[in-house]
Amino acid sequence: MLILNETSQKLILKEMSRKGRFHHTYAHVCDILEVLHANKEKFSNFRAAELAAIFHDIVYEVDERYKSNELESCRKFLEVIYNDNPNLSYDEEDPDYQTVKLTLAMIGCTQHHSLDGIKDPKSFTAAEINDIKMFLDADISVLARSRERVMQFEKDIRAEFSCYDDEAYRKGRADVLRSFLQRKNIFLSSIDESWEGIARSNLLFILDSLK
């Protein structure tokens, strides 16, 4: 199984504790891991989901570099995982390489929280695609939490984007939230069917608060 040595674990904690992070912290990673572990038996490759949870926000910028966060997080993941696992190959038949490949797909898909981030869907099994869906749902499961928790989440996101004035932030944030509401389903899997209605209600509440 792919490992992370002590040095890498300290690096991850350091990166996730950088100044300017309020939601995208190690606490967020832990929240995702809690959801994943509660549904562990549903995954075909649980280790990939764990690694994606740990690395998907390892690089997080809110300036002009924002659109490359996922790509840079993928690069950091590869750097760390190959350093900590010197015998890891690029052999498609190697189960550990398959885990790396799936982890990269999971991280890439967080850019738009959709399967559009998968460059070659045919290279993954149906079970692996479902793993990606469940990971993406776990990543935004905060939307289905209590109203108080969701508003704290929104406050934390605003703090991370404090470099933008209120008008610019409200417009950009509203566009993002509406994009989720316009989807047939906010959540892609059946990891918890109760989440959908709660999340839609919370998103509408947040949108109203941005007016």
Side-chain angles (χ1 to χ4, degrees):
M1 185 176 74
L2 297 173
I3 65 166
L4 296 173
N5 66 33
E6 185 177 350
T7 299
S8 294
Q9 292 174 37
K10 289 180 179 178
L11 169 68
I12 292 163
L13 286 172
K14 178 181 178 181
E15 291 298 322
M16 300 303 291
S17 302
R18 283 189 178 277
K19 183 180 180 180
R21 287 181 182 256
F22 294 88
H23 170 69
H24 295 90
T25 64
Y26 199 70
H28 172 51
V29 172
C30 292
D31 285 344
I32 297 173
L33 290 173
E34 182 179 356
V35 173
L36 298 180
H37 278 273
N39 294 276
K40 185 175 182 178
E41 74 285 351
K42 299 177 183 178
F43 285 85
S44 68
N45 191 328
F46 184 72
R47 186 55 175 162
E50 280 187 314
L51 290 169
I54 293 167
F55 282 95
H56 76 292
D57 287 325
I58 194 72
V59 175
Y60 187 76
E61 305 291 348
V62 298
D63 55 18
E64 66 275 3
R65 296 168 291 176
Y66 182 73
K67 292 184 178 180
S68 65
N69 281 337
E70 290 75 22
L71 175 60
E72 294 303 322
S73 291
C74 283
R75 287 174 174 166
K76 178 58 70 174
F77 164 66
L78 287 174
E79 175 188 330
V80 171
I81 209 68
Y82 273 93
N83 179 71
D84 291 0
N85 299 269
N87 294 322
L88 178 60
S89 72
Y90 290 90
D91 183 354
E92 289 280 352
E93 300 302 318
D94 182 351
D96 282 339
Y97 178 73
Q98 288 295 321
T99 296
V100 169
K101 181 181 171 184
L102 183 56
T103 301
L104 290 171
M106 289 176 173
I107 295 172
C109 286
T110 62
Q111 182 171 22
H112 300 295
H113 279 277
S114 75
L115 298 181
D116 292 344
I118 304 176
K119 294 181 179 179
D120 183 12
K122 293 182 180 179
S123 66
F124 295 98
T125 66
E128 288 172 331
I129 294 294
N130 193 53
D131 285 352
I132 296 171
K133 290 179 178 180
M134 289 191 291
F135 166 72
L136 292 175
D137 287 353
D139 186 29
I140 59 170
S141 60
V142 64
L143 297 177
R145 297 290 184 90
S146 69
R147 185 63 52 78
E148 180 181 8
R149 176 67 184 88
V150 167
M151 293 312 292
Q152 181 60 53
F153 157 70
E154 190 61 24
K155 180 180 178 181
D156 290 342
I157 295 295
R158 180 65 183 105
E160 290 181 339
F161 284 84
S162 61
C163 58
Y164 297 91
D165 63 44
D166 286 342
E167 183 178 357
Y169 175 78
R170 284 197 295 267
K171 182 181 185 304
R173 187 62 176 160
D175 287 345
V176 170
L177 299 180
R178 288 193 193 96
S179 72
F180 279 102
L181 286 168
Q182 288 167 359
R183 298 180 181 189
K184 181 179 179 181
N185 295 296
I186 295 170
F187 297 100
L188 303 175
S189 74
S190 57
I191 192 169
D192 191 323
E193 294 180 355
S194 70
W195 287 354
E196 187 73 23
I198 300 170
R200 287 190 177 276
S201 176
N202 282 333
L203 287 172
L204 288 170
F205 186 86
I206 297 171
L207 273 172
D208 189 59
S209 74
L210 290 171
K211 294 178 180 179

